[in-house]
Amino acid sequence: MRIGVDLGGTKIEGVLLADNGEQLARERVATPAHSYEEVLDAITALVEGLQIKAGGSASVGLGGPGAISAVTGLIKNSNTLAISGRALPADLGARLGCEVRFANDANCFALSEAVDGAGADYPTVFGVIIGTGTGGGVVIDKKVLTGVNSIGGEWGHNPMPGAAEQRVCYCGRLNCIETYLCGGGLANSYIVAGGETINAVDIAKRAVAGEALANNVLDNYCHQLARALSGVINLLDPAAIVLGGGVSNIDMIYEKVPQYWGDYVFSDSCVTALVKAKYGDSSGVRGAAWLW
């Protein structure tokens, strides 16, 4: 059996999976806001509870923001500051008395969808999270491609092709793809176009209701997403791209983006499938379990 844990900014979720992927148990607790020790306490208690339900040994995988630095062995690039610069997998493993495997949460999402989700029938999958941020993960033959710098799939921090204005990313760079394609980026585009302050979901609702401004902004968003993903296709040529996160629930994306990316892909045709995640918010925690 397998235990997966997804460390989020507001919640920590754990799942117990049978070897065939059947979910046997699932638990959630709030993420302690500031203390690293409290984060360790919360994860430890969650895993120990699932181990009891397993009634025997179970592997433990952990997904979360950031990656393991090849230089220091500590967490880097994490927007959850409590774990940044810490040896989270090793510290957790010492408490539990077992090895804990760690992967970036976007990699866990991609792995989940590639193993038994929307990308299960494809040999190469690029998993994309477009929600609060814009993350990605590469899975080849059901194995995550982490990379020597532990940043495989981090397409959200490449420059947005054809950026219309200057946007500052939290990473300190200008015009990262994330600043345009995350939910807040779409909302900002609506404001720049003359709209009021509303979220990405409401922009989509207004577009469906026939509002011209919302429809134009969303159509431009699909062009931006197509340009950004075409770079991934030109580099990796994945068989499928699986979308997750809140923005992935906008239906227009699946109709228009494949129409638009043909203008940018270096091929006379593009048969890469663009599909919505099967497991939605549960993909991250399932992917953590599949790290073993």
Side-chain angles (χ1 to χ4, degrees):
M1 286 184 279
R2 308 164 185 266
I3 292 173
V5 178
D6 181 30
L7 172 60
T10 59
K11 65 174 176 63
I12 303 171
E13 184 171 14
V15 69
L16 174 66
L17 298 184
D19 289 337
N20 65 359
E22 179 187 358
Q23 180 178 299
L24 303 177
R26 185 175 178 179
E27 302 287 345
R28 284 187 178 187
V29 297
T31 302
H34 304 295
S35 168
Y36 177 66
E37 292 300 322
E38 289 180 359
V39 169
L40 279 177
D41 290 342
I43 299 175
T44 300
L46 187 67
V47 172
E48 288 176 343
L50 291 171
Q51 286 175 330
I52 291 172
K53 292 183 178 181
S57 61
S59 59
V60 180
L62 173 64
I68 303 296
S69 169
V71 176
T72 66
L74 307 178
I75 299 288
K76 66 176 182 178
N77 297 346
S78 175
N79 55 11
T80 299
L81 297 181
I83 68 170
S84 186
R86 302 282 193 160
L88 179 59
D91 290 343
L92 182 59
R95 290 196 177 201
L96 294 171
C98 66
E99 180 186 353
V100 175
R101 292 186 180 176
F102 176 86
N104 175 266
D105 46 11
N107 286 349
C108 289
F109 163 81
L111 180 61
S112 169
E113 292 298 327
V115 170
D116 65 349
D121 294 333
Y122 302 94
T124 52
V125 174
F126 185 64
V128 173
I129 299 177
I130 40 177
T132 304
T134 302
V138 180
V139 179
I140 300 173
D141 294 331
K142 315 300 184 189
K143 295 181 180 179
V144 173
L145 178 64
T146 303
V148 296
N149 299 301
S150 300
I151 55 171
E154 288 289 2
W155 74 307
H157 294 281
N158 288 327
M160 167 58 75
E165 71 264 355
Q166 297 294 303
R167 298 190 181 185
V168 180
C169 185
Y170 80 88
C171 74
R173 298 175 177 86
L174 288 176
N175 296 333
C176 287
I177 285 171
E178 178 165 308
T179 66
Y180 284 86
L181 297 185
C182 71
L186 175 55
N188 190 37
S189 295
Y190 187 73
I191 294 170
V192 170
E196 60 191 296
T197 302
I198 57 174
N199 62 34
V201 173
D202 287 336
I203 293 171
K205 289 179 179 177
R206 290 189 180 191
V208 171
E211 183 190 290
L213 178 62
N215 187 73
N216 290 339
V217 168
L218 196 52
D219 183 68
N220 186 58
Y221 177 90
C222 289
H223 274 286
Q224 292 170 329
L225 181 56
R227 288 199 300 271
L229 289 178
S230 69
V232 175
I233 295 171
N234 286 339
L235 182 64
L236 295 175
D237 201 11
I241 296 174
V242 182
L243 302 184
V247 182
S248 73
N249 293 316
I250 299 175
D251 292 336
M252 183 188 295
I253 289 173
Y254 302 93
E255 173 190 354
K256 291 196 170 184
V257 170
Q259 295 176 11
Y260 296 155
W261 67 24
D263 293 336
Y264 312 106
V265 172
F266 186 61
S267 176
D268 59 351
S269 64
C270 181
V271 297
T272 299
L274 183 68
V275 294
K276 186 185 295 187
K278 176 179 178 179
Y279 292 112
D281 291 344
S282 296
S283 275
V285 71
R286 290 180 63 89
W290 286 121
L291 290 173
W292 289 86

